[in-house]
Amino acid sequence: MNRCLTPRTLRGRLALMALATSALWIGVLTTVFNIALDDRLHGQADDVLRTRAEAVAATVDVRPDGRLVVREPAEDRALDAGVWIFQGGTVVEKPPSAPVGLEAQAARLAGRRETFAGTEGPGSWRLYAFPVDTPARQGHPPTQAGTVVSSVSLDPYRSTADTALVGSIALAVLLLATIYLLTRLVVRRALRPVAAMSEQATRWSAAGAPERFGAEGRPAELAAFATSLDALLDRLAAVLRHEQQQAAELSHELRTPLARITAETEWLTGRPRSTEERESSLEAIAGAAATMRQICDSLLSEVRARNAQTPGRSRFADVAHRLAERNAALFPDAPPMTVVADGSTPDVSIGVSPDVAERVLTPLLDNARRYATHSITLTCAASAGEVTVYVCDDGPGVPEDFVASLFEPGRRARPEDGHDGAGLGLALARRLARAAGGDITLDTAAPGARFVVTLPAG
């Protein structure tokens, strides 16, 4: 039920919060005001009773024998309204008319010192007893000879209090309604730039536009919001560029083996071929298909490594020996591959899955196989939190003028060497290593070509 009552918009929630806070404070102020007003009205009624009783007592004389004599002033009727004069428990003078039961209440106050009393009900009254003392004489303290009891109806005071209560409640409701409407209006105007910025961000991110909001000239809150949106747009643009580059590289790399498959297929179907020619052509088609599969697997492995929450684990020795056996089986005429592990850590574990480790090392081993003269060496060394794999060959090495472009997609040091591929292998290997938390670099000081692969430890 709370979810149904909670507004869905931020404007509605802020307005409701302001309304609740205002209602709390206005409720407290209204209550305090009405309590203070009621107390003040009761104080005024007590002042009226005390003043009237003292004025009537001033018209009462006490004779030496203790009897009370009431003088009759000009405003006697006004003074007699609601006033009783008692001598002991006997009424000396009483008002011409009084509500039933009020005289009995006044009689109960006879003989008391200064005392307030009251009656409850719709016709409530307030009474006050004021003592009339004998004159003080030498050696004799004054004694109470009589009592003046004044009364006043509380209905006018209660009517005033009720009117004030109704008026304060009506004013509170009006204030709350005004506060709610003004809050919604102010919040809507304040959030208008935010809505405009969100719409712009949606359009720009969908179209890949280079525009950015910038924090200059904006309030502090909107400046932080604009900075966050700009960072989000930058990340989206980087993702788009990455995907576009990846698609272009994939298309570029797949074009060569696909063209080879198409050419071989057309050559086979163009006219009858000998058995040897067909076998050679089918081997070329199979090799091109294997190359395409390798490219697709490398890219998919990169995506999985970039998005996977658990990187996996593999043993270097298992991965290296499997690659060496595959190299010997597929390329029997290539230089042999030697696996060398660090003597202090013969059972090195890498913090990536075996598939990812193979996808990182395969392009480097293919490159070494093409250019090696007599040997290819795969060496591993472990350090704190990191595993370093060295892929070395005794070939001519990387030309000095090509080192800076070595890992750029589509670049080849010797395009005329005749081997298939479009120079994407090293770029894919480095991208996959970085996605797994490592990197690939070239050791330019080593003889031949020596690639340094760093991967997280398992």
Side-chain angles (χ1 to χ4, degrees):
M1 181 175 293
N2 292 335
R3 291 185 177 181
C4 296
L5 296 177
T6 302
R8 295 184 178 181
T9 62
L10 179 60
R11 180 181 61 187
R13 292 181 182 181
L14 291 176
L16 184 61
M17 185 181 299
L19 179 64
T21 305
S22 301
L24 176 63
W25 282 106
I26 292 177
V28 171
L29 293 176
T30 301
T31 303
V32 171
F33 166 75
N34 283 277
I35 292 175
L37 178 62
D38 186 71
D39 184 71
R40 177 61 178 167
L41 292 176
H42 276 79
Q44 289 181 353
D46 291 346
D47 291 341
V48 170
L49 288 173
R50 188 180 292 106
T51 301
R52 185 179 296 176
E54 291 176 354
V56 171
T59 65
V60 178
D61 296 330
V62 182
R63 291 188 176 184
D65 57 2
R67 289 189 304 110
L68 300 180
V69 178
V70 180
R71 299 193 304 272
E72 299 294 336
E75 300 296 334
D76 182 64
R77 183 172 298 179
L79 290 176
D80 288 343
V83 176
W84 288 264
I85 302 175
F86 291 91
Q87 183 172 355
T90 305
V91 178
V92 176
E93 187 174 312
K94 63 179 181 179
S97 62
V100 179
L102 187 60
E103 185 171 344
Q105 181 70 19
R108 284 194 288 269
L109 296 177
R112 297 188 183 183
R113 304 299 294 177
E114 295 189 40
T115 305
F116 287 97
T119 62
E120 300 298 332
S124 58
W125 291 75
R126 183 81 166 161
L127 296 95
Y128 172 69
F130 183 79
V132 178
D133 297 332
T134 59
R137 291 178 295 175
Q138 187 175 5
H140 297 278
T143 59
Q144 184 173 347
T147 308
V148 176
V149 179
S150 59
S151 65
V152 66
S153 175
L154 295 180
D155 289 343
Y157 298 95
R158 286 193 172 180
S159 177
T160 301
D162 293 342
T163 302
L165 177 62
V166 173
S168 60
I169 292 176
L171 180 61
V173 172
L174 180 61
L175 284 175
L176 289 176
T178 304
I179 290 173
Y180 181 76
L181 295 177
L182 287 178
T183 303
R184 286 185 64 90
L185 179 62
V186 171
V187 172
R188 179 169 58 184
R189 292 179 63 88
L191 293 179
R192 192 175 297 168
V194 178
M197 292 170 64
S198 300
E199 292 177 0
Q200 289 178 341
T202 302
R203 292 195 303 269
W204 293 347
S205 61
E211 290 86 352
R212 296 295 182 266
F213 295 103
E216 185 178 356
R218 299 183 184 275
E221 296 81 0
L222 290 184
F225 182 56
T227 303
S228 300
L229 284 178
D230 287 344
L232 178 60
L233 290 173
D234 290 338
R235 287 195 295 271
L236 289 175
V239 170
L240 289 175
R241 288 194 302 269
H242 174 78
E243 297 301 331
Q244 291 170 357
Q245 181 182 6
Q246 188 178 47
E249 293 170 355
L250 179 61
S251 174
H252 185 80
E253 181 67 10
L254 292 177
R255 188 177 294 115
T256 299
L258 184 59
R260 180 69 180 273
I261 292 174
T262 302
E264 293 292 342
T265 304
E266 292 177 351
W267 186 80
L268 278 174
T269 57
R271 61 182 179 85
R273 303 293 177 180
S274 65
T275 302
E276 183 179 353
E277 289 175 337
R278 285 198 301 271
E279 290 179 356
S280 176
S281 183
L282 290 175
E283 289 179 0
I285 292 175
T291 301
M292 294 178 65
R293 180 179 178 181
Q294 176 186 344
I295 294 170
C296 293
D297 288 345
S298 298
L299 291 174
L300 291 176
S301 297
E302 179 208 354
V303 173
R304 286 194 296 268
R306 186 173 63 245
N307 297 332
Q309 296 180 353
T310 55
R313 186 179 182 185
S314 59
R315 293 177 67 250
F316 166 75
D318 295 341
V319 174
H321 287 297
R322 187 161 52 248
L323 290 174
E325 293 172 0
R326 184 184 305 167
N327 182 73
L330 295 177
F331 308 100
D333 298 332
M337 181 185 302
T338 304
V339 178
V340 180
D342 189 348
S344 61
T345 54
D347 194 16
V348 178
S349 294
I350 305 174
V352 297
S353 66
D355 179 66
V356 173
E358 291 184 14
R359 300 303 173 192
V360 171
L361 296 176
T362 296
L364 301 177
L365 294 173
D366 290 342
N367 185 79
R369 187 186 68 251
R370 294 188 185 104
Y371 300 108
T373 303
H374 300 97
S375 65
I376 301 172
T377 305
L378 195 60
T379 308
C380 177
S383 58
E386 188 177 76
V387 174
T388 305
V389 179
Y390 301 95
V391 181
C392 309
D393 67 74
D394 58 352
V398 180
E400 185 177 352
D401 58 348
F402 188 72
V403 171
S405 306
L406 179 61
F407 293 99
E408 292 182 6
R411 298 295 299 275
R412 292 172 54 186
R414 299 179 180 88
E416 71 284 352
D417 57 9
H419 78 268
D420 295 335
L424 190 59
L426 295 181
L428 289 176
R430 170 181 263 189
R431 180 186 295 176
L432 185 56
R434 289 181 173 177
D439 200 359
I440 298 178
T441 58
L442 176 68
D443 184 0
T444 56
R450 186 171 190 255
F451 289 92
V452 181
V453 182
T454 56
L455 293 172

